[in-house]
């Protein structure tokens, strides 16, 4: 339902009744100029910008911590990052926010480039690039046979980008590309088996290539290319990225109220009233909602949002990613002579060495990452079984690893109630209509968060969205 005068009045009447009912209890309603829902980086940045303009602001957060999808495990070797890893030199907002928050950034580009390149394990055996190119099991078209499976989708997309200007990726003029990425890959000559191996086994967006729009993939590819063009550096916060949202929260004048999942938002004549699951209530003239859509769909909003916005809240999916963090008692890769990092077509999928130590050679742990359907398969097994099977799979592929791996932590983003996945992605048919609807202001509610941006992704997008909502509110 869109917010017009008639349904606004209906909505206010409903709110009046609810308030009367609440008035019978002992809950008082705390009042602010603005309330920010969610203490992830977008919510915290929005709160800071509003405070700087003199508004009284409170941040309400469901979890017992700030940071949302920024999460460093500071009690494990190398403080592995379960969420946000690093920002490129093109992250103008990210770099500035870190500087304003007073956290120290370190250049970490070597994490991705140091040492031997990622090894390929196909059908149980290690293959060099040359061996892979001529392997009878390689299902790629002749011209692409020397690409590793994990390189192929983005290489093909980069070379044959269907959308000339990626910044216009969700423009309805590009609607002909709002088909599945599987259809795009098939047009490039990839067989079903080639798509399964190169994308479906380990997708960045979607459960598989049929589940994501080519427009979304073009957006991601364009943004990444743009970042690469900005320079080779990569930055992370010394001691763990979680220090950034922690410092941002500590720098706020107003309260950051933790452990209070929001259950309902009511638009009222004077702004909005927020009710948390524990019955506590807060009121403000303006509301900033940074909740990921997968969490927002469990919040009752009255009067309801526009038809398209409601559709987005209900239907936009979030990327399943699950992570097994392992440490090695000894560097088994020195024994078998292959790279510590590996990609396999089996259960352990992506093994990414973590080089978070004092020297760039040091491997502080192994991050094993499952994406898409494989992540959901891991989650179904449960943390303990999934970890045991990951270790067994690596040991099977690399006998030198036997007895040397320790399973330290399991994290499922799809299993996190207040995230619902790692990031939002658009499926075929969604990309021309939903991205813009998501960010529309609804009465006193402004929406921010990575999912509301169409020009920057990740943390940079989240920060850009906070600036947009602050402007929306301050210029009203
Ligand atoms: C594995 C992984 C790797 C990543 N790597 C990178 C990277 O290298 N570079 C990059 O730029 N980005 C990366 N990202 C993405 C980046 O972390 C996110 O885009 C960004 O942190 C999102 O910030 P946000 O404020 O939009 O959302 P969030 O961080 O999700 O914040 C939303 C907040 O709302 C809270 N919330 C939810 N429901 C409720 C409720 N009912 N009531 C109250 N509060 C609620 C949540 O708890 C959360 O704190 C990665 C993410 C993941 C998962």
């Amino acid at each position: 339902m869109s917010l017009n005068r008639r349904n606004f009045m209906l909505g206010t009447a409903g709110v009046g009744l609810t308030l009367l009912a609440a008035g019978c209890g002992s809950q008082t309603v705390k009042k602010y100029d603005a309330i920010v829902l969610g203490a992830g980086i977008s919510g915290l940045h929005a709160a800071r910008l509003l405070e700087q303009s003199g508004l009284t602001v409170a941040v309400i957060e469901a979890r017992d911590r700030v940071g949302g999808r920024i999460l460093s495990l500071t009690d494990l070797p190398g403080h592995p990052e379960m969420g946000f890893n690093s920002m490129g030199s093109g992250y103008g907002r990210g770099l500035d926010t870190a500087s304003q928050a007073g956290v120290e950034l370190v250049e970490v580009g070597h994490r991705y480039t140091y040492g031997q390149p990622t090894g390929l394990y196909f059908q149980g055996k290690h293959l060099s690039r040359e061996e892979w190119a001529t392997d009878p099991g390689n299902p790629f078209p002749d011209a692409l046979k020397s690409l590793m499976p994990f390189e192929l989708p983005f290489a093909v997309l980069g070379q044959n980008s269907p959308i000339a200007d990626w910044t216009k990726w969700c423009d309805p003029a590009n609607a002909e590309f709002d088909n599945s990425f599987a259809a795009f890959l098939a047009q490039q000559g990839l067989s079903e088996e080639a798509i399964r191996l190169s994308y479906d086994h380990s997708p960045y967006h979607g459960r598989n290539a049929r589940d994501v729009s080519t427009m979304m993939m073009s957006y991601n590819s364009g943004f990444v290319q743009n970042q690469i063009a900005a320079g080779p550096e990569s930055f992370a916060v010394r001691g763990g990225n979680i220090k950034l949202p922690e410092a941002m929260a500590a720098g706020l004048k107003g309260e950051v109220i933790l452990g209070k999942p929001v259950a309902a938002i009511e638009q009222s004549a004077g702004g909005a009233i927020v009710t948390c699951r524990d019955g506590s209530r807060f009121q403000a003239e303006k509301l900033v909602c940074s909740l990921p859509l997968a969490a927002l769909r469990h919040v009752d909003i009255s009067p309801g949002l526009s038809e398209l916005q409601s559709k987005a809240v209900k239907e936009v999916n979030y990327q399943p990613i699950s992570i097994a963090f392992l440490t090695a008692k000894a560097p088994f890769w020195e024994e078998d002579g292959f790279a510590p990092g590996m990609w396999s077509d089996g259960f352990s999928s992506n093994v990414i060495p973590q080089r978070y130590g004092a020297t760039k050679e040091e491997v502080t742990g192994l991050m094993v990452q499952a994406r898409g359907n494989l992540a959901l398969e891991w989650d179904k097994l449960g943390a303990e079984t999934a970890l045991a099977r990951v270790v067994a799979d690596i040991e099977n592929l690399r006998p030198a690893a036997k007895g040397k791996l320790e399973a330290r932590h399991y994290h499922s983003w799809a299993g996190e109630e207040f995230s619902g996945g790692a990031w939002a992605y658009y499926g075929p048919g969604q990309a021309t209509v939903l991205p813009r609807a998501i960010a529309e202001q609804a009465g006193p509610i402004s929406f921010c968060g990575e999912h509301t941006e169409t020009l920057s992704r990740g943390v940079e997008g989240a920060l850009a969205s906070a600036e947009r909502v602050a402007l929306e509110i301050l210029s009203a």
Side-chain angles (χ1 to χ4, degrees), residues 133-327:
T134 55
D135 191 274
N138 183 331
F140 300 159
D142 285 348
L144 304 174
K145 275 196 189 295
S146 61
L147 287 174
M148 294 297 206
F150 48 90
E151 296 168 341
L152 186 137
F154 286 103
V156 168
L157 191 56
Q159 282 160 18
N160 308 290
S161 181
I163 298 175
D165 177 358
W166 71 270
T167 62
K168 300 202 168 61
W169 67 276
C170 61
D171 193 319
N174 291 318
E176 65 181 294
F177 306 116
D178 200 3
N179 55 1
S180 81
F181 189 51
F184 170 81
L185 291 174
Q187 279 160 15
Q188 310 306 312
L190 267 73
S191 64
E192 277 289 309
E193 179 50 18
I195 295 171
R196 192 201 62 74
L197 181 71
S198 66
Y199 195 82
D200 295 352
H201 181 58
S202 191
Y204 270 103
H205 299 281
R207 268 67 168 165
N208 54 48
R210 281 158 298 286
D211 188 35
V212 60
S213 168
T214 304
M215 292 172 86
M216 174 80 211
M217 293 300 292
S218 303
Y219 172 28
N220 193 71
S221 167
F223 178 72
V224 171
Q225 292 304 322
N226 212 36
Q227 287 302 314
I228 291 171
E233 295 91 358
S234 234
F235 300 93
V237 179
R238 187 181 291 285
N241 288 326
I242 191 65
K243 288 184 188 295
L244 175 57
E246 285 174 354
M248 290 167 81
L252 292 174
K253 289 187 222 115
E255 291 172 281
V256 179
I257 305 164
L258 299 177
K260 278 212 187 283
V262 170
I265 301 169
E266 299 153 50
Q267 300 178 38
S268 67
I273 294 171
V274 171
T275 306
C276 297
R277 280 189 202 163
D278 64 2
S280 51
R281 292 159 71 83
F282 304 85
Q283 187 172 9
E285 280 173 36
K286 298 289 179 189
L287 197 67
V288 173
C289 177
S290 77
L291 275 46
L293 300 176
L296 186 58
R297 61 182 71 123
H298 304 295
V299 175
D300 183 39
I301 304 179
S302 61
L305 302 172
S306 73
E307 199 180 315
L308 267 187
Q309 208 166 9
S310 302
K311 190 174 161 65
V313 172
K314 213 161 105 193
E315 295 177 9
V316 170
N317 276 323
Y318 274 65
Q319 184 63 21
I321 290 194
S322 295
I323 296 168
F325 178 70
L326 318 177
T327 48

Side-chain angles (χ1 to χ4, degrees), residues 37-44 60-63 65-70 81-87 91 112 223 260-263 277 290-292 295-296 299 321 323 369 413 417-419 421-423 448-451 457-460 462 465:
L37 306 183
I41 196 155
S42 67
L44 293 169
I60 303 179
E61 166 58 46
R63 291 174 164 111
R65 62 170 182 88
V66 300
R69 281 168 278 170
I70 304 181
E81 303 290 351
M82 294 295 106
F84 163 62
N85 267 277
S86 59
M87 50 177 114
Y91 272 47
Y112 309 107
F223 178 72
K260 278 212 187 283
V262 170
R277 280 189 202 163
S290 77
L291 275 46
L296 186 58
V299 175
I321 290 194
I323 296 168
Q369 202 181 70
W413 283 104
E417 181 187 4
F418 301 117
S419 302
W423 43 72
C448 70
E450 61 88 23
H451 57 283
R457 299 200 46 74
V459 156
E460 188 68 359
S465 75

